[in-house]
Amino acid sequence: LVSAMNRVQLLGRVGQDPIMRQVEGKNPVTIFSLATNEMWRTGDSEVSQGGDISQKTTWHRISVFRPGLRDVTYQYVRKGSRIFVEGKIDYGEYTDKNNVRRQATTIIA
């Protein structure tokens, strides 16, 4: 038996107040963005105190489907909050308003 795992843990800051979307025929979903920062020192040596500190911010799209968690997230999470999210990565496709197929990576919390 071969097992597989799709699990991600993120600690970051919320980019905007969550929104709740209702798609016809489906359960509502709460959506928000989360920013994570990665920092490192540039220069010749990892141990030296010289060099500049560089930073990269990555934005993640978070979707919350589970009813209790979805409602609590919508009610209490706010822009700027520092939160921990655990979930799975979902790779999907959608068609934008210009009828262009796009790919989207979402974290299902």
Side-chain angles (χ1 to χ4, degrees), residues 12-103:
R13 293 213 179 261
V14 177
Q16 87 281 349
D17 288 349
I19 59 169
M20 191 177 291
R21 286 211 179 127
Q22 175 72 51
V23 179
E24 195 172 324
K26 295 186 178 179
N27 290 328
V29 59
T30 295
I31 301 167
F32 64 95
S33 61
L34 187 74
T36 55
N37 292 321
E38 182 181 353
M39 298 175 73
W40 66 93
R41 186 179 300 278
T42 58
D44 295 337
S45 171
E46 288 290 324
V47 287
S48 75
Q49 295 301 311
D52 296 323
I53 294 178
S54 295
Q55 176 176 311
K56 177 185 175 189
T57 300
T58 303
W59 288 95
H60 311 273
R61 178 184 168 97
I62 313 294
S63 294
V64 187
F65 291 95
R66 189 179 302 161
L69 189 58
R70 172 192 66 215
D71 300 337
V72 166
T73 300
Y74 180 71
Q75 190 171 359
Y76 293 107
V77 172
R78 290 292 167 254
K79 178 180 178 177
S81 298
R82 188 166 186 247
I83 65 169
F84 175 80
V85 172
E86 186 171 82
K88 67 177 185 175
I89 301 174
D90 180 63
Y91 300 100
E93 288 187 350
Y94 68 97
T95 303
D96 71 11
K97 61 185 176 186
N98 298 321
N99 212 27
V100 176
R101 283 182 66 179
R102 299 202 180 269
Q103 294 183 328

